[in-house]
Amino acid sequence: PDSLERAPPYAQMRCLSRGADLCFVDSPVVVAAAGSSGGAEEPSLCVWDALLPPGRSVVASCAAHPEGGVCVAYLPSEGVLLSGGAGGEVVVFDLRQRRLRHRWSAHALGVRTLACGDGGSCFTASADGDLKLWDISRPGTPLAHWPRVHEPHTASPLFHPVGTSIGRTYGVNCMIEEGGRLITGGADGRLLCHCF
């Protein structure tokens, strides 16, 4: 509607040069974001407190992903952030100690999305279409692996959907876990419901 005007932002906090995903952490004023800052040693996972002055609003950060972070989720039962990277790695960031707890290579291609399950479990999905289930207390070996849940597609100049990059492969694009069901959406145009 014409009557709605765009309000100025409540706050502007900069830590990442390119943000890819974000989630709330225990509060509507604490936000975690994954992205990139321009270098392998620069922060790619950051936590902000929007009530603090802009110069002090970054309360935690780390160089979790050398090629940049792609997705982030909060697991409140463990007090950790899970983050997937463009290089296929997954990290567990301990919010209490403000340090990386675990890092492992989860997929051959970039981790596109992740979802937290019950009891410290985590689903990851990648650009190659694979879906994996992990126990974050014992990373490195998946509890389960479902190859090519969604058929991967590579964006080309002829087939270039909105929001995709030419030459980049997309398999599983998004997923949510709720009550023992995992719903995945993929580049093949399908939504799939998996019951666990």
Side-chain angles (χ1 to χ4, degrees), residues 113-132:
T113 184
L114 47 83
C116 298
D118 295 330
S121 65
C122 162
F123 291 94
T124 62
S126 72
D128 60 12
D130 288 6
L131 175 65
K132 295 181 181 180

Side-chain angles (χ1 to χ4, degrees), residues 3-149:
S3 62
L4 293 178
E5 291 185 32
R6 182 175 172 204
Y10 164 76
Q12 184 171 339
M13 298 164 277
R14 183 161 174 104
C15 181
L16 301 169
S17 60
R18 183 188 63 83
D21 193 20
L22 56 89
C23 67
F24 288 109
V25 179
D26 270 344
S27 161
V29 297
V30 179
V31 178
S36 63
S37 294
E41 299 301 317
E42 299 295 321
S44 53
L45 181 61
C46 298
V47 180
W48 290 276
D49 185 332
L51 295 180
L52 293 175
R56 297 185 336 168
S57 61
V58 177
V59 294
S61 67
C62 69
H65 305 287
E67 297 177 41
V70 177
C71 50
V72 63
Y74 175 54
L75 186 56
S77 64
E78 301 290 321
V80 299
L81 290 172
L82 301 168
S83 181
E89 72 282 348
V90 172
V91 300
V92 178
F93 183 78
D94 189 315
L95 288 165
R96 293 177 192 106
Q97 297 179 12
R98 297 198 174 142
R99 67 174 184 86
L100 285 181
R101 185 188 293 175
H102 301 292
R103 177 195 314 257
W104 70 94
S105 179
H107 294 275
L109 296 179
V111 178
R112 298 280 297 146
T113 184
L114 47 83
C116 298
D118 295 330
S121 65
C122 162
F123 291 94
T124 62
S126 72
D128 60 12
D130 288 6
L131 175 65
K132 295 181 181 180
L133 174 63
W134 308 89
D135 178 345
I136 67 162
S137 66
R138 295 181 312 219
T141 303
L143 299 174
H145 177 202
W146 299 272
R148 293 201 157 192
V149 170

Side-chain angles (χ1 to χ4, degrees), residues 112-113 125-127 129-131 149-150 170-175 184-187:
R112 298 280 297 146
T113 184
S126 72
D130 288 6
L131 175 65
V149 170
H150 290 277
Y170 297 89
V172 182
N173 289 335
C174 57
M175 67 178 160
T184 60

